[in-house]
C-alpha cells in the first residue's frame, strides 16, 4: 500500500491485519530451521510491537504508566548536555562521519540511561542492539542473520535480567523499575516480558533515531536556505524535526499479515497475505502533502506516518523527537553551515530501514 489514505487505513485496521510477525510468515522465512530458533521467536513474540489485541493492550497500558511524556521531558537537560558533549568535537573544521561520531551515540546513551542499564555495559548494549536490529531491519535469509540475532538476544537477556531483579527488590527512578512495579487493574508484567520489551526499546530506538539525525543533516545540506531559517528561529526545530520525519523518515515500510479476506487500496487481500504499508510513499503522497518533495521546515500541519498510526504508534516518538529537536537546535546555533562531503551518500538497500551507509560532513563553526 503506497497511498496515504490506504497506509493509514492499514495501520488502523487491527482486526483484519495482524502484527504477530514472528509466528507465521517470519517463521516461514526462517525456513526449515524454525524449531532451531524457537526461543528467539518466543522472545520476539513478547514484544508489544508484535502482539495483537488483547495482549497488546495489556503490554502497552502497563508500559504507558512508566514511559510517560513527563518522564521523557525530565530527560531534556541530560539530552542537552549529551548533545553538547558530542557536538563539541565537531568544531575543529575537519571531516567527520556524522553517523559514528554523533548520531550513533546519542540514542544509545539516552535509552540506556532511561532504562537504568549500568553505564559500564554501554558498549555491549550498543553492539547487541545492532545485531538484534540487523535481524529485523535487514532482509535476506542468511544463516548468520538468525544466529547473530539469537546471540544478541541471549546477550541482552543476560545483561537486562540482573537489572530487572535488582529493581524488583529496590526500585529506582528509571524505566525498568517503572515496568517491574507497574500495575494496571491488578495486571502486571512478567519478568520475561520486562526483559523482552526493554530489549525492544534498546534496538527500536537506536538505529531509527540515528537515521533521523543523519537524514536530517543531509536534508539541510541539500536545502541550505532551510538551515538559515532554523538559525534565524530556533523554535522551528520542532516543525523541522517533523519535516525530516516526513521527507526522510527512518522507517520506509512495515508489514502486516491478513487475518481475513478484504479489500484495501483496490486490492483483494487473501488470508495469510503479507501487506507492506509503505510509509515513505504515504509521506510523499501529493494527495496528502502539498509539494511533497520540497523540504519545508515550516510545514504545518504535518500528519506524516513516520511513527505509524493506530494502537502500535511508536512508543518512543516523544523521546526521539526530543533528541532530534535538541540536536538540530544545538547544531544550528553552533554551526554557520554544514557541508556534506560524501560525494554520493548512499542508503543501505533494505526495505524497512532508511539509513545512510555513512555521512561525511564538515561543520563550519560560526
Ligand atoms: C525516529 C525514531 C523512531 C522511528 C521513526 C520509529 C518508528 C516506529 C514505528 C513506525 C512504529 C510502529 C510499528 C508498527 O506499527 O508495526 C514504532 C513502534 C515502536 N517504537 Fe519506535 N521509532 C523511533 C524511535 C523509537 C524509540 C526512541 C523507542 C524507544 C523506546 C521506540 C520504541 C518503539 C516501540 C516499543 C514500539 C512498539 C509500540 C507498540 O507496538 O505499541 N521507537 N516505532
Amino acid at each position: 500500500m503506497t497511498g496515504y489514505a490506504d497506509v493509514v487505513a492499514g495501520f488502523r485496521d487491527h482486526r483484519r491485519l495482524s502484527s504477530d510477525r514472528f509466528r507465521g510468515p517470519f517463521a516461514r522465512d526462517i525456513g526449515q530451521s524454525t524449531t532451531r530458533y524457537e526461543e528467539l521467536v518466543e522472545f520476539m513474540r513478547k514484544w508489544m510491537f508484535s502482539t495483537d489485541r488483547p495482549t497488546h493492550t495489556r503490554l502497552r497500558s502497563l508500559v504507558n504508566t512508566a514511559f510517560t511524556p513527563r518522564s521523557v521531558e525530565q530527560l531534556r537537560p541530560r539530552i542537552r548536555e549529551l548533545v553538547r558533549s558530542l557536538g563539541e568535537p565537531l568544531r575543529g573544521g575537519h571531516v567527520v562521519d556524522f553517523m559514528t561520531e554523533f548520531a550513533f551515540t546519542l540514542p544509545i546513551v539516552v535509552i540506556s540511561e532511561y532504562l537504568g542499564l549500568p553505564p559500564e555495559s554501554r558498549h555491549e548494549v550498543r553492539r547487541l542492539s545492532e545485531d538484534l536490529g540487523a535481524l529485523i531491519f535487514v532482509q535476506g535469509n542468511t544463516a548468520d542473520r538468525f544466529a547473530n540475532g539469537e546471540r544478541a538476544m541471549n546477550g541482552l537477556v543476560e545483561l537486562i535480567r540482573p537489572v530487572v531483579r535488582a529493581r524488583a527488590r529496590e526500585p529506582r527512578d528509571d524505566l525498568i523499575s517503572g515496568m517491574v512495579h507497574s500495575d494496571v487493574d491488578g495486571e502486571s508484567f512478567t519478568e520475561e516480558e520486562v526483559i523482552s520489551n526493554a530489549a525492544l526499546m534498546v534496538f527500536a530506538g537506536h538505529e531509527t533515531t540515528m537515521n533521523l539525525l543523519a537524514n536530517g543533516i543531509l536534508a539541510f545540506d541539500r536545502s541550505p536556505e532551510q538551515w538559515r531559517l532554523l538559525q534565524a528561529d530556533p523554535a522551528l526545530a520542532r516543525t523541522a524535526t517533523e519535516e525530516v520525519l516526513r521527507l526522510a523518515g527512518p522507517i520506509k515500510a512495515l508489514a502486516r499479515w491478513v487475518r481475513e479476506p478484504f479489500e484495501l487500496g483496490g486490492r483483494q487481500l487473501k488470508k495469510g497475505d503479507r501487506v507492506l504499508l509503505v510509509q515513505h510513499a504515504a509521506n510523499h503522497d501529493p494527495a496528502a502533502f502539498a509539494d511533497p518533495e520540497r523540504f519545508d521546515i515550516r510545514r504545518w500541519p504535518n500528519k506524516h506516518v513516520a511513527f505509524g498510526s493506530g494502537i502500535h504508534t511508536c512508543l518512543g516518538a516523544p523521546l526521539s523527537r526530543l533528541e532530534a529537536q535538541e540536536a538540530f537546535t544545538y547544531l544550528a546555533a553552533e554551526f554557520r553551515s554544514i557541508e556534506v562531503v560524501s560525494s554520493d551518500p548512499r542508503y543501505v538497500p533494505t526495505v524497512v530501514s532508511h539509513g545512510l551507509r555513512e555521512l561525511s560532513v564538515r561543520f563550519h563553526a560560526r
Side-chain angles (χ1 to χ4, degrees):
M1 298 295 143
T2 53
Y4 181 84
D6 296 332
V7 169
V8 171
F11 272 121
R12 295 184 158 263
D13 199 331
H14 316 116
R15 193 170 56 80
R16 292 180 295 193
L17 293 177
S18 168
S19 287
D20 189 356
R21 302 163 155 79
F22 301 118
R23 186 168 45 189
F26 192 81
R28 271 207 311 268
D29 283 357
I30 298 178
Q32 296 156 354
S33 44
T34 314
T35 46
R36 161 78 184 79
Y37 292 107
E38 214 156 56
E39 219 181 308
L40 177 62
V41 169
E42 281 315 303
F43 174 78
M44 297 190 294
R45 287 191 64 218
K46 292 192 180 64
W47 291 345
M48 67 191 91
F49 168 74
S50 45
T51 55
D52 292 326
R53 280 173 171 159
T55 307
H56 177 266
T57 314
R58 188 179 131 259
L59 296 175
R60 182 86 189 218
S61 51
L62 283 167
V63 82
N64 278 347
T65 63
F67 200 118
T68 60
R70 203 165 144 256
S71 74
V72 171
E73 185 53 38
Q74 282 168 353
L75 303 175
R76 189 183 288 274
R78 174 65 179 141
I79 290 175
R80 197 165 281 174
E81 181 187 312
L82 282 167
V83 162
R84 258 180 194 288
S85 69
L86 290 168
E88 198 56 33
L90 308 179
R91 293 180 152 282
H94 50 286
V95 175
V96 294
D97 178 1
F98 181 73
M99 310 277 287
T100 52
E101 308 280 316
F102 188 100
F104 189 78
T105 310
L106 179 66
I108 199 76
V109 175
V110 170
I111 193 68
S112 299
E113 290 186 359
Y114 188 27
L115 281 165
L117 301 178
E120 60 279 9
S121 68
R122 178 121 354 111
H123 292 289
E124 188 71 356
V125 173
R126 180 191 265 196
R127 192 176 59 74
L128 297 169
S129 147
E130 272 196 302
D131 287 352
L132 193 58
L135 175 69
I136 309 301
F137 292 129
V138 178
Q139 53 283 317
N141 291 321
T142 59
D144 280 6
R145 179 179 168 199
F146 295 100
N148 288 343
E150 186 180 56
R151 257 198 305 279
M153 168 194 76
N154 288 332
L156 283 167
V157 170
E158 228 170 85
L159 216 143
I160 297 170
R161 192 184 300 282
V163 181
V164 171
R165 295 204 170 150
R167 299 301 188 270
R169 290 190 300 273
E170 214 175 302
R172 288 195 196 164
D173 188 16
D174 58 34
L175 193 53
I176 287 185
S177 301
M179 287 167 77
V180 170
H181 296 278
S182 156
D183 181 321
V184 177
D185 302 330
E187 293 276 358
S188 53
F189 277 117
T190 65
E191 183 176 289
E192 299 309 317
E193 284 169 345
V194 175
I195 296 170
S196 161
N197 281 285
L200 166 65
M201 288 179 214
V202 169
F203 99 80
H206 178 206
E207 180 167 328
T208 46
T209 309
M210 166 175 92
N211 290 335
L212 171 60
L213 299 172
N215 295 355
I217 291 301
L218 185 59
F220 277 115
D221 175 71
R222 290 175 172 170
S223 303
E225 80 291 351
Q226 299 293 314
W227 189 247
R228 287 192 289 276
L229 270 179
L230 179 60
Q231 288 176 318
D233 182 3
L236 288 174
R238 198 167 69 85
T239 49
T241 299
E242 300 310 306
E243 181 64 345
V244 176
L245 283 159
R246 184 196 67 81
L247 186 87
I251 297 195
K252 286 184 289 194
L254 284 168
R256 292 287 191 269
W257 279 270
V258 179
R259 283 211 267 215
E260 56 182 81
F262 75 109
E263 194 190 304
L264 183 61
R267 307 282 292 269
Q268 270 307 325
L269 305 175
K270 297 188 300 297
K271 185 171 184 219
D273 278 353
R274 172 156 39 188
V275 178
L276 263 189
L277 304 173
V278 187
Q279 296 149 268
H280 194 71
N283 286 337
H284 289 248
D285 182 349
F289 301 97
D291 202 359
E293 299 315 313
R294 200 174 115 71
F295 179 50
D296 172 7
I297 67 166
R298 287 188 289 200
R299 189 184 292 271
W300 198 258
N302 191 340
K303 293 172 85 99
H304 63 74
V305 285
F307 290 122
S309 184
I311 61 170
H312 290 281
T313 298
C314 179
L315 174 75
L319 184 56
S320 48
R321 282 184 163 124
L322 178 54
E323 290 176 49
Q325 289 164 8
E326 287 296 325
F328 294 142
T329 304
Y330 169 85
L331 294 171
E334 296 296 317
F335 299 105
R336 172 170 43 85
S337 61
I338 38 188
E339 180 196 345
V340 168
V341 296
S342 311
S343 56
D344 181 18
R346 297 266 168 137
Y347 283 96
V348 181
T350 64
V351 173
V352 173
S353 182
H354 188 48
L356 292 157
R357 290 183 188 280
E358 57 86 44
L359 189 65
S360 301
V361 187
R362 184 180 281 121
F363 288 87
H364 297 277
R366 278 181 187 262

